[in-house]
Amino acid sequence: IKNGRFESTVLAISSKYQQLVRSGKDYVGGKDQFMKEIKKNNRNMIAFIIEEGDNVISNPETTPTSKFHALLLLKESVETQNTDFILQLNGHRQLWHTLEALGQHKKEVKSDDRGKDLFGATDTAQKKYSELFFRLLLECIQVWAEDYPLDNNNKNTRFAVVMNRLKQSGVKFPEKKYFFPALNTQKQKREPKKLKKTFDWEGAYAMLEENYELLSQSLEAGILEVDILQAFTQEIQQKIEAITSAMNKMFAEGEEVPEEYWNRYTEEAVSYTHLRAHETPEHLVCRLLLEKK
């Protein structure tokens, strides 16, 4: 992607995000497009949502309304149980520094509504959103720490570390959950959730499409260097095999392959087969010699 086009895309996504967190109505109407990208394991979008969440929450100029919806998007994103999102969220040191500092607000006060003056808002509606943000913050930290106490390397997550530090400093966490109501009826202690490995659809297809395009251009230009052909064909074959394996695994576990990727896979695999069918005799000799090696 050329720089101009890339920058234009980022600005468009950033504009949509800013509109998303602006109000409850905008959030309900716009969150699905972001959630869809997380479920597709779009790692660029995952990183964007976390980074923008940090920017909105830590910026003193943003409203409590925007801060609340930025945190709410993080909460709902974690609920997809996307491993990459959870690990990236856990690894964002600056965000957790901000969240821990906010969690210390009026820790000597034990009332659950102590967050209404968290951001110094004077407007009644913004005071309410400040209170909601603080409540959501404490509930998220507690629930995430209980669900994911250890990362994929069996080390304590920042979720757990921050919750323990807040508890040790005297912070009172809500006993009744407003934003996780299903947990209020559970009598038994919940078992920690296991982080599932996710397949990098976007990464696989980016490599597949890039190498397919380069191979196609090389064949059209009559480039016959063995090393170039070997690198391109091996990369494409490996990615097709990886994608096929991921799809077979999802089928075996009763999961559906995202329609977009199924269509793209079919198209790319057919294109590659078509490309191979139009090799010149010279290219065919080179490939057969490579496969023989």
Side-chain angles (χ1 to χ4, degrees):
I1 301 175
K2 295 182 179 179
N3 288 338
R5 182 181 167 191
F6 176 77
E7 291 174 2
S8 176
T9 302
V10 171
L11 288 174
I13 296 173
S14 181
S15 177
K16 287 183 179 180
Y17 180 89
Q18 295 302 324
Q19 181 177 355
L20 175 79
V21 300
R22 188 174 56 188
S23 71
K25 183 178 179 180
D26 289 319
Y27 182 83
V28 172
K31 69 173 181 176
D32 286 349
Q33 59 185 319
F34 289 91
M35 302 302 292
K36 181 180 178 182
E37 293 301 314
I38 293 175
K39 291 176 181 178
K40 292 193 303 188
N41 203 41
N42 184 334
R43 292 180 178 177
N44 290 329
M45 184 61 76
I46 287 172
F48 174 84
I49 291 172
I50 295 172
E51 189 63 33
E52 282 298 294
D54 176 48
N55 292 338
V56 170
I57 293 171
S58 62
N59 186 349
E61 301 300 321
T62 56
T63 66
T65 301
S66 293
K67 295 178 192 294
F68 170 76
H69 289 110
L71 182 57
L72 186 61
L73 184 62
L74 295 178
K75 171 201 178 273
E76 295 195 19
S77 298
V78 169
E79 289 173 345
T80 67
Q81 298 188 44
N82 180 288
T83 298
D84 288 316
F85 188 93
I86 294 168
L87 291 177
Q88 284 198 44
L89 177 63
N90 176 64
H92 201 294
R93 188 172 301 177
Q94 179 57 43
L95 174 60
W96 281 100
H97 176 76
T98 300
L99 297 181
E100 183 173 2
L102 292 171
Q104 297 274 359
H105 178 69
K106 283 190 172 181
K107 61 184 179 183
E108 69 282 358
V109 178
K110 303 308 177 185
S111 173
D112 288 340
D113 64 354
R114 64 187 185 275
K116 64 178 65 175
D117 59 351
L118 175 62
F119 301 113
T122 56
D123 178 80
T124 302
Q126 294 307 314
K127 282 185 176 181
K128 187 61 180 178
Y129 270 110
S130 297
E131 181 182 342
L132 290 172
F133 173 90
F134 189 68
R135 179 90 188 204
L136 176 60
L137 170 65
L138 294 182
E139 288 188 20
C140 282
I141 292 175
Q142 186 176 28
V143 172
W144 294 345
E146 293 172 354
D147 283 346
Y148 304 103
L150 301 174
D151 62 17
N152 55 345
N153 293 317
N154 213 35
K155 294 182 179 180
N156 291 331
T157 59
R158 280 195 172 88
F159 312 145
V161 171
V162 168
M163 187 190 73
N164 289 334
R165 283 205 295 246
L166 289 175
K167 279 188 172 181
Q168 289 171 6
S169 70
V171 173
K172 177 183 178 293
F173 285 84
E175 294 182 7
K176 185 177 181 180
K177 306 292 189 296
Y178 284 177
F179 296 98
F180 300 85
L183 301 182
N184 293 325
T185 59
Q186 290 187 358
K187 297 181 180 180
Q188 296 181 341
K189 185 177 180 181
R190 304 195 322 280
E191 292 294 325
K193 296 179 180 178
K194 293 183 179 180
L195 292 173
K196 299 179 180 179
K197 290 185 178 181
T198 55
F199 184 73
D200 184 9
W201 293 103
E202 284 297 320
Y205 275 105
M207 182 67 74
L208 175 60
E209 291 169 352
E210 178 184 355
N211 284 330
Y212 170 77
E213 182 65 25
L214 291 172
L215 178 57
S216 178
Q217 292 173 1
S218 299
L219 291 176
E220 289 176 3
I223 298 175
L224 294 176
E225 282 85 346
V226 171
D227 289 345
I228 294 177
L229 287 175
Q230 182 181 36
F232 289 165
T233 55
Q234 285 182 348
E235 284 283 0
I236 292 174
Q237 287 172 334
Q238 287 173 3
K239 288 303 175 185
I240 288 178
E241 290 172 2
I243 293 168
T244 302
S245 176
M247 287 182 173
N248 289 337
K249 185 174 184 295
M250 293 182 77
F251 287 142
E253 294 176 353
E255 299 182 29
E256 293 185 3
V257 175
E259 183 178 355
E260 175 188 352
Y261 293 110
W262 175 258
N263 294 337
R264 286 171 64 185
Y265 169 75
T266 304
E267 179 180 325
E268 291 296 335
V270 170
S271 296
Y272 180 51
T273 303
H274 177 77
L275 182 65
R276 290 283 288 270
H278 287 78
E279 289 175 316
T280 65
E282 291 85 358
H283 290 132
L284 181 60
V285 170
C286 287
R287 182 170 60 78
L288 291 175
L289 287 172
L290 287 172
E291 291 177 355
K292 192 173 182 179
K293 287 175 68 177

